[in-house]
Amino acid sequence: MTDFDHLAPPLTGGVQQIATAVWRIVAPNPSPLTGPGTNTYVVGSERPVVIDPGCDDAGHLARILEVAGHGIDRILCTHSHPDHSPGASWLRERTSAPVYGQPAPDDGHQDLTYAPDAGLADGERIAAGEDTLTAIHTPGHASNHVCFLHEQVGLLFTGDHLMSGSTVIIIPPDGSMRAYLESLRQLRELPLAALAPGHGAVMPNALAEIERVIGHRLAREAKLVRALERRGAATLDEVLAEVYDDVPAFMHAYARYSLLAHAVKLVDEGRAGCEAEVYRWRES
Ligand SMILES: [Zn+2]
């Protein structure tokens, strides 16, 4: 197992080598949702692959080419949100490298320029220079989400399935809390050493982090359950501030999406009902 050279935080607009033949290039799109910016990864010295080209920013794309060269073998996208995939078509035009990823759903939250040349089967192995990646289907944050496992070092490129410093937003109906938790549980079966997220620093102790996030989501669900139990029935806006009382108010508009995802999960499981946007607790 390799020691990771860079547990340091990503630098907006910077290039950092994080393991042997693995580089992180941070796009200049910092925000409360994207952290220091979207992480693009280059894996492999000869015929490398690029994971998540990020936003369509000329300086960022030029840095990717500086690191990867024009011999890029493939461009991989974890999913098609507008901070992850728009750079793919620019890179494809300049290098002729094909874009691999799952087709985009049409839910109003996707990069409309995203047009992969080929899909990725769950478990599909991909040469990345002298190393190998395995595609892992991880629906939840988005229905077309894929993570990539670097087999030689146990580094999982997580896209937006897991990020450091924050929890990812899940926007129904394309995003699904049930699918998200199931995808997290399946990752526990993999030989993981560390997580290289789409936003934020490399996270060592991969399995502990996955357990922490599962616990965090279930604790959030439990807060929603308590809020509904106490009221019997409520709209999401009536319980939002209570369920997210540990999250700054300026983030509540985003948190509301994940609250909806939690509520939909309770309805799908038969634990709550929903009529005219009022959620009614069913379990006694
Ligand atoms: Zn995303």
Side-chain angles (χ1 to χ4, degrees):
M1 197 164 291
T2 299
D3 287 324
F4 296 102
D5 302 328
H6 263 289
L7 296 177
L11 301 170
T12 302
V15 177
Q16 294 156 295
Q17 186 169 4
I18 60 166
T20 305
V22 180
W23 292 266
R24 175 178 61 206
I25 304 148
V26 187
N29 60 337
S31 77
L33 292 182
T34 57
T38 303
N39 292 331
T40 295
Y41 294 97
V42 173
V43 183
S45 301
E46 300 288 323
R47 304 290 300 166
V49 302
V50 173
I51 300 174
D52 281 353
C55 55
D56 190 2
D57 175 272
H60 178 64
L61 294 165
R63 276 188 290 279
I64 295 173
L65 273 186
E66 272 171 36
V67 173
H70 283 74
I72 296 170
D73 195 55
R74 297 190 205 198
I75 300 159
L76 309 178
C77 294
T78 59
H79 64 305
S80 46
H81 282 160
D83 55 329
H84 285 259
S85 57
S89 41
W90 187 95
L91 266 189
R92 172 171 50 196
E93 269 176 36
R94 276 148 190 86
T95 64
S96 303
V99 177
Y100 283 68
Q102 295 301 88
D106 183 14
D107 71 343
H109 297 287
Q110 307 298 323
D111 159 27
L112 297 176
T113 69
Y114 176 69
D117 300 292
L120 289 161
D122 189 32
E124 183 171 336
R125 300 178 78 222
I126 303 150
E130 42 296 324
D131 300 316
T132 311
L133 301 175
T134 305
I136 315 282
H137 284 191
T138 46
H141 169 73
S143 63
N144 67 342
H145 199 285
V146 182
C147 293
F148 298 98
L149 174 62
H150 188 306
E151 293 182 4
Q152 282 75 14
V153 294
L155 182 64
L156 186 75
F157 298 98
T158 67
D160 278 355
H161 193 45
L162 292 148
M163 65 188 280
S164 90
S166 177
T167 49
V168 300
I169 289 176
I170 295 176
I171 305 178
D174 183 60
S176 160
M177 191 63 74
R178 289 183 80 190
Y180 182 71
L181 284 165
E182 189 52 37
S183 292
L184 281 176
R185 291 184 177 115
Q186 286 181 5
L187 289 186
R188 298 186 297 195
E189 312 302 319
L190 299 174
L192 303 181
L195 307 172
H199 305 277
V202 170
M203 294 175 276
N205 308 317
L207 294 177
E209 176 62 16
I210 290 164
E211 290 298 338
R212 188 192 70 76
V213 173
I214 292 171
H216 177 82
R217 295 290 183 171
L218 293 178
R220 187 73 67 196
E221 177 180 293
K223 286 176 87 167
L224 172 59
V225 165
R226 281 197 297 276
L228 289 178
E229 252 179 340
R230 195 159 47 244
R231 289 172 174 80
T235 66
L236 294 185
D237 291 319
E238 287 168 339
V239 300
L240 177 63
E242 176 182 334
V243 176
Y244 285 86
D245 59 358
D246 56 331
V247 172
F250 76 92
M251 293 294 285
H252 282 186
Y254 301 112
R256 193 183 184 287
Y257 288 117
S258 294
L259 179 63
L260 173 61
H262 280 296
V264 168
K265 176 174 180 285
L266 294 179
V267 171
D268 286 348
E269 292 171 348
R271 301 169 68 192
C274 179
E275 205 170 308
E277 299 192 7
V278 173
Y279 290 83
R280 189 172 300 281
W281 187 240
R282 278 193 179 145
E283 279 186 353
S284 54

